[in-house]
Amino acid sequence: MSLELIVGPANSGRAGAVLDRFVAAAPEDPVLVVPTGDDVERFERELCERPGGLLGGSVTSLPGLFAEVGRLCGLGGGQVASRMQRIWIARAAARAAELRILRRSAGREGFAPALEALLGDLQAAGLDAEALAARVGALEGEKGAGAGAYEAEIGRLFAAYEDLRDELGLTDEHRRAAASTAALRADPGLWRGRPVLLYGFDDLTREQIELVAALDGAAPVTIALVFEDRPALAARAELFGILREELGATVAERLHPDRAHTTSSTLFQLERNLFNPAAVATDCDDSLVLLESAGERSEAELIGRRIAGLIGSGREPDEIAIVLRSPDRQAPLMARVLTGLGIPVAAEATLPLSRTATGAALLRLLAIAAGEGDAADVVAFLRGPARARPESVDWLERRLLRERIDGAERALEAWGQQGGRIWPLDALVQAGENPARLAATVARIAADIAERPHLRSGPQPSGPDAVELRAAAEVGRALGEVSALTGLAPDASEIVELLGHIRVPLWRGPTEGRVRLLSPYRLRATRIEELFVAGLVDGSFPSPGGGDPLLPDQRRRELGLPARQDPAAEERYLFYSCVSRPQRRLYLSYSSADEAGVTLARSPFVDEVRGLLEPPPTPEPIDDELERKLVERIGIGDIAPPPERASSPRALARALAALPAREGDARLTALELPPGVREQVSEDLGLARAGVAAAATPGPLSTATVLAALGSRRLYGASTLEQYDLCPYRWFVAHELDPQSIEPDPEPLETGGIAHQALENLYRQAPHGRRPSEETLRSWHDAARIQLRASAEGRGWDLASPRARIALARLDAVLGRFLARDASTGGPLQPDPELLEAAFGESPDDAFPPADMGSFELHGKIDRIDVSADGKALVRDYKLSARVVAGKRLLRDGKLQLPLYMHAVRGMDLEPIGGLYHPLAASREDRPRGLLAKEEKDALIPGETAAHYGTDFIPEDELEEIIAEALDRAREIVAGIGSGAVTRSPRDGRCPSWCGFAPICRMERGIIEEDEEEAQR
């Protein structure tokens, strides 16, 4: 027989030549072999359209060809191991083999899949364990004993794998392929002389080459190859050489480029000249588009808008394809964005089970059951599809966070106290240690997780929901396959590792009527009208490539194994495959920056294409007139597309809302829209503009009922007034909307409360005198330590925990510094135990009535009041912060509390002579700041520099002016609240950096920073 080659470039009509030969050989029952199942369907359709095309013969893939050879040769017996079974057998082999160099690596979870892939590679290269051992022996003979120690361990793993496989009564696809090839060589007549034609294969493994050689001895074989002696196709020169020199193939037809394969002269010339250093530049028509975006999602949206436009103009989805260099990494996001635009997608990629909602929920459940999960796992599982009512889980999460419950067992107890139950945990307990029962239970739970949201629903799930159902199916399949391995069935501790090896296909089914997302390798036998090549960023495409993690290229060469393709040549060939496939238009898409704004370099392949176009590129891209014409660009700040590029009525409304109103209306009028769409867009546009206006100028309040309620209020707190003065909108959100945090109180707030309570109890139960002195300081400090721990324990702290020990040690130091300063200042003013945490207001627990402020009343609680024998009072307020505001800056900075409290003590029959803020957390300068009557300096109030700041002492008339001014400002605020003057107008026009309400008021913000003093409020 003869092996014939049909050779030519990608646009040379190889498919037509192959189909012509197939039809001519129809009476002899020919077999056409193509790369994938989708290609099988496509070629079957094409043959059916030809007279006599499928009256004789069949179309199959390469695995189908091996199976057909095996069937005709009478090979049977031995179940073929699945990929998951091979991985699990490889795992067992790694634990059974005697290893030294690889011993630690063999215990890691990723080792078994890597070993399975390596063994498959060795088998595809025509080796078994015995042949590999012979090559290792030859290596040691050449380089000396011990030279092949690492390779010898790989050989022992290979041998252990084969032994386990055979003991289990299994075979694998490579062993079956080798047996089929050997049987065909022994009796070529079994094939019955059926002609074989291979199309779309430009790389073949040794295993496949051996089958071609065996078929060549049994029937006419024709292979159509993409090959020319040029740089773009250099990666396929080795295969061409093997077929010519080793198998004796002859070139039956040498095809030439055919302009009929594209409507564009530019695309034709690009295919002809790509990577040719002597290429002549060509003019550019509209068949080439460059898409420049900012980040992967922005890129997906830009591509999606283009595709939506193509489909809207009449292009069929299956005439469009998107090439991704790494589909498993890139396709999930791309598919999500396109699906959201209503574009039917077939993403030929897989993702780990853990990245599906079903897989993530299942893995969390198993972690909880094994005692390795935490409270967050319990909450995350309950938030899974159809697990529990969201509001119930919200309350559970709030309790877990606020009570700092972090263990799964205690979280489950809390859930049970709410009346909740997690039946899958009970099912796992009932399954016990029986591996088969456990595997069946886990599979049933996975199915329940995926199917429960769709119970009693009519339509068959599609898109992301279908992925979840496939995830459950893959779990059931993998567990069933591995549980069938006698003696190797996974126990409870191994199931999680097994699930970690599962890959879930994003799409399964026919691709007709869908936009395909595929790798360059899957594109080779396909011609597409509109082709998008995405992710053309340097380091992504071209990919840097990577060798086998267990057998690097150098070791492969030493063993005489086939060398891997040169990475640079392979990437050039793959890009050539992309450029040569589109018939109408080629889109090259890349990101100029990532989502954080970091600049990215586009692929040199884009520049290679640009260099083939007239006029030549300029040194500065910004001056390149042709590139400005070719590029459609969206930057990191472009949140809406141009109206002409909008892919849905809602997107069009957003795009128009981003324009000035007059321009937006004119653009809408100029657009030709289907019936009913214009009305929908107009309605959405009105809502969008109203939302923009409301976001720009929120408030004031105008509802009569609300205004009446606000106007009737008379009682206010000082912190409420300060919040309004800081920003009315922040006051409204924090005080009136009153959002409830589900997280624990911030540490400054919690520790501040402990410190305040400890100081109150300490001075109320003073160990010696009313306040500490130099002589009694140690006993006061010891008492403070006791009070701190009692206060912390009363708040539910575990005093033995590391967090509590660290926090209490810090508070010991804080109070120690405060007591030392209090002892050193002295003076005749003494704390009054009855005026510690002096509360005034309308509450039954308040010791004093609210303070009359004229147009309103004030309520509050003063931390400490020091008094003299004649009723003069010094107000003290503790701040667990490192700094406090100087007295003369209080009103300028909106700090009304201290002067208002000084006025309030007059209602307690006291005369205020000062007020001080104490910075308890100050590490260097811990002197208090505030307002002090100058007339009382050195008399009632120590005036030494070490005790107080001299600038805080002011004359009594100025002190009264500050108090009066604070009262006037407080009355203005109360009047503003009563009139509903709630606007987004922060003090000095700047939001405080620590405010976390930006998502509500939508004012431009910087980075949120925690404010220690504000956190105590």
Side-chain angles (χ1 to χ4, degrees), residues 47-63:
L47 284 168
C48 286
E49 294 172 1
R50 289 175 172 241
L54 269 181
L55 294 179
S58 59
V59 185
T60 187
S61 62
L62 248 178

Side-chain angles (χ1 to χ4, degrees), residues 65 102 115 224 226 402 411 447 535 551 560 622 749 768 836 898 982 1010:
L65 177 63
L102 289 168
L115 178 59
V226 174
R402 297 189 67 82
L551 199 62
I622 194 172
L749 182 61
H768 295 284
L836 296 171
L898 201 58
V982 177
E1010 184 67 27

Side-chain angles (χ1 to χ4, degrees), residues 8 16 123 170 223 260 353 464 532 550 662 688 733 741 794 954 993:
Q123 288 176 299
L170 297 174
I223 303 178
L353 177 68
F532 293 78
L550 293 179
R662 185 172 298 176
V733 173
S741 173
I954 57 177
S993 59

Side-chain angles (χ1 to χ4, degrees), residues 5 7 225 227 236-244 251 254:
L5 304 180
V7 178
L225 287 180
F227 182 70
R236 295 301 172 259
E238 182 180 2
L239 176 61
F240 182 69
I242 290 174
L243 295 176
R244 288 284 302 274
V251 178
R254 192 175 292 276

Side-chain angles (χ1 to χ4, degrees), residues 236-452:
R236 295 301 172 259
E238 182 180 2
L239 176 61
F240 182 69
I242 290 174
L243 295 176
R244 288 284 302 274
E245 298 167 13
E246 186 178 326
L247 274 62
T250 59
V251 178
E253 293 185 58
R254 192 175 292 276
L255 304 176
H256 300 286
D258 186 352
R259 288 182 178 271
H261 282 265
T262 177
T263 60
S264 165
S265 61
T266 298
L267 294 182
F268 181 83
Q269 292 299 328
L270 287 179
E271 187 280 332
R272 287 287 77 214
N273 295 303
L274 191 63
F275 302 119
N276 182 0
V280 177
T282 183
D283 292 333
C284 185
D285 56 27
D286 64 353
S287 63
L288 178 66
V289 179
L290 304 184
L291 302 177
E292 182 179 306
S293 51
E296 290 186 348
R297 184 172 190 89
S298 175
E299 180 178 21
E301 290 174 348
L302 181 55
I303 291 174
R305 292 204 293 265
R306 272 283 184 166
I307 293 176
L310 290 171
I311 295 174
S313 64
R315 184 76 63 218
E316 293 296 329
D318 52 14
E319 295 177 339
I320 306 168
I322 304 173
V323 172
L324 304 167
R325 183 63 184 89
S326 304
D328 287 353
R329 179 181 65 82
Q330 299 167 292
L333 174 61
M334 185 72 71
R336 209 160 46 240
V337 171
L338 267 61
T339 301
L341 293 173
I343 299 170
V345 171
E348 299 177 19
T350 64
L351 70 164
L353 177 68
S354 60
R355 288 184 56 189
T356 67
T358 299
L362 182 61
L363 291 170
R364 288 191 187 101
L365 179 72
L366 292 173
I368 295 168
E372 299 171 357
D374 55 23
D377 289 314
V378 174
V379 172
F381 178 79
L382 291 173
R383 290 204 186 281
R387 291 291 101 192
R389 291 190 305 164
E391 58 271 24
S392 299
V393 185
D394 289 343
W395 283 108
L396 173 67
E397 185 174 16
R398 186 176 191 273
R399 177 182 175 185
L400 299 181
L401 289 171
R402 297 189 67 82
E403 296 182 14
R404 301 186 187 276
I405 297 173
D406 53 12
E409 186 174 350
R410 290 185 60 197
L412 291 172
E413 290 177 4
W415 180 240
Q417 290 168 3
Q418 290 185 208
R421 176 173 169 266
I422 301 179
W423 74 261
L425 286 176
D426 299 335
L428 289 172
V429 171
Q430 294 171 5
E433 298 297 325
N434 185 292
R437 188 183 305 156
L438 182 63
T441 299
V442 172
R444 180 164 59 93
I445 292 171
D448 177 78
I449 293 172
E451 295 171 4
R452 184 175 290 269

Side-chain angles (χ1 to χ4, degrees), residues 707-728:
L707 292 177
L710 291 175
S712 65
R713 288 183 184 175
R714 182 166 176 81
L715 190 65
Y716 289 88
S719 62
T720 297
L721 302 175
E722 286 186 352
Q723 275 196 357
Y724 183 95
D725 194 48
L726 177 66
C727 175

Side-chain angles (χ1 to χ4, degrees), residues 664-695:
D665 292 339
R667 298 278 283 275
L668 177 58
T669 302
L671 291 173
E672 295 184 7
L673 300 174
V677 173
R678 185 178 304 277
E679 290 74 14
Q680 181 181 349
V681 172
S682 297
E683 181 180 351
D684 291 344
L685 180 57
L687 293 173
R689 285 174 174 167
V692 170

